[in-house]
Amino acid sequence: MAAKLRKGDKVIVLAGKDKGKTGNITSVDPKTGKAIVDGVNISIRATRQSQTSQGGRIPKAMPLDLSNLAIVDKNGKATRVGFRMEGDKKVRFAKTTGDVIDA
């Protein structure tokens, strides 16, 4: 199945403690159905110091479920994603405006 949300997409959070926040997807794990969005769902992780990195309390973005994310269209609103054929190429488009998300 084609991915509706991909790395680099600008998304808005629909549910949870960070509802309404926006950010870009940094990674997607299709097997678990989760994505990491920068600046959203931040958790403090305590790490031990090593030769390469400083230890202490380090903020880390934790994964969010893909069902709690929606892509942002050109108007800044949350929209669903659809697929259509343009010529011989399958493209994603925003359901609200009908614009192609990435050509």
Side-chain angles (χ1 to χ4, degrees), residues 23-88:
N24 289 326
I25 295 179
T26 54
S27 69
V28 178
D29 185 10
K31 187 178 260 187
T32 60
K34 294 183 183 282
I36 295 176
V37 182
D38 60 338
V40 177
N41 200 23
I42 299 294
S43 177
I44 302 294
R45 289 284 171 246
T47 58
R48 194 175 286 273
Q49 184 176 356
S50 67
Q51 286 184 335
T52 57
S53 65
Q54 182 71 30
R57 294 164 46 102
I58 296 174
K60 182 181 179 190
M62 301 302 285
L64 284 162
D65 205 82
L66 289 175
S67 64
N68 295 332
L69 299 174
I71 203 159
V72 176
D73 62 2
K74 65 175 185 181
N75 301 329
K77 299 269 192 178
T79 181
R80 292 176 297 155
V81 177
F83 293 97
R84 68 175 173 224
M85 297 298 289
E86 288 195 355
D88 58 345

Side-chain angles (χ1 to χ4, degrees), residues 11-22 39-41 64 68-69:
V11 293
I12 189 166
V13 181
L14 300 175
K17 67 173 187 172
D18 292 324
K19 181 178 179 178
K21 288 187 181 177
T22 59
V40 177
N41 200 23
L64 284 162
N68 295 332
L69 299 174

